[in-house]
Amino acid sequence: MDSIDIFLYIADILVIAGVIFAVVLPLIKSLDNPGSLLKTGVGVIAIVVIFFIAYSMSDSEVAAKYAADPFNLTPGMSKFVGGTLLTTYALFIIAIVGIVVTEITKAIK
């Protein structure tokens, strides 16, 4: 085992610790104000609903060159990737519309 392997293991441990801290510490802080936790839950549920709408709209067709050995793309994976892409597009459009509406309302006031 050389130094590169050791540093890769250390990096993996640090990433896992960072993810744990990024999830657990805000949850501990939100116990002081449960209303903020409710708002976060509503946001997560909205994103899940958008994903399932996009997932149901996506196609499971796989081109022949992607079903071959290097990729092994199945129709289920293709549908998931399509749903993820449609969700990303929808959230991007929602963000842009939100920015425009906010700027217009600020300009009117």
Side-chain angles (χ1 to χ4, degrees):
M1 185 181 316
D2 57 348
S3 64
I4 293 176
D5 290 336
I6 293 171
F7 289 130
L8 286 174
Y9 289 128
I10 291 172
D12 289 342
I13 291 170
L14 289 175
V15 167
I16 291 170
V19 168
I20 290 171
F21 288 141
V23 171
V24 171
L25 291 178
L27 286 175
I28 292 172
K29 181 65 178 163
S30 68
L31 293 177
D32 296 340
N33 185 7
S36 67
L37 191 58
L38 180 66
K39 290 178 184 177
T40 302
V42 169
V44 169
I45 290 172
I47 290 174
V48 168
V49 167
I50 291 171
F51 172 74
F52 280 119
I53 291 171
Y55 182 79
S56 65
M57 289 175 23
S58 65
D59 190 17
S60 62
E61 183 178 340
V62 179
K65 67 179 181 177
Y66 296 118
D69 280 336
F71 299 108
N72 291 331
L73 189 61
T74 63
M77 290 171 53
S78 175
K79 190 166 180 77
F80 179 77
V81 169
T84 304
L85 285 172
L86 288 175
T87 301
T88 303
Y89 302 151
L91 292 176
F92 177 75
I93 291 169
I94 290 169
I96 295 297
V97 168
I99 291 169
V100 169
V101 168
T102 301
E103 291 300 321
I104 288 174
T105 56
K106 281 172 54 178
I108 291 173
K109 290 181 182 181

